[in-house]
């Protein structure tokens, strides 16, 4: 009997998940792409891959070594 109750439980969970997904607001792919493109263009000046990183503010530049005599 535990096998059939397990199947019934899984069916209920699946139906609940499908009902939840049916209530979600869907966005057309064309609208999502337009929104993503707009966001990228608006924030391009903050992107270090596009604008580069100045050598003085880079955390990956070699550190200066000071020695005291």
């Amino acid at each position: 009997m535990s096998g059939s109750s397990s199947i019934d439980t899984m069916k209920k969970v699946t139906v609940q998940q499908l009902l939840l997904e049916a209530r979600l607001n869907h966005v057309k792919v064309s609208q999502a792409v337009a929104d993503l493109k707009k966001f990228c263009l608006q924030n391009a000046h903050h992107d270090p891959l596009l604008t580069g990183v100045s050598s003085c503010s880079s955390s990956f530049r070699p550190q200066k070594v000071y020695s005291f005599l």
Side-chain angles (χ1 to χ4, degrees), residues 4-62:
S4 65
S5 66
S6 175
I7 292 172
D8 290 339
T9 303
M10 290 302 292
K11 284 181 182 179
K12 288 178 184 177
V13 168
T14 303
V15 169
Q16 289 174 348
Q17 182 65 33
L18 290 172
L19 289 172
L20 177 69
E21 291 177 15
R23 284 187 238 129
L24 293 175
N25 292 331
H26 298 280
V27 178
K28 291 184 177 182
V29 172
S30 58
Q31 182 62 46
V33 169
D35 292 345
L36 182 58
K37 182 178 176 182
K38 180 180 171 186
F39 175 83
C40 290
L41 291 173
Q42 287 176 344
N43 295 292
H45 61 281
H46 294 298
D47 191 339
L49 295 175
L50 298 174
T51 59
V53 178
S54 68
S55 62
C56 64
S57 66
S58 174
S59 60
F60 296 105
R61 68 183 163 98

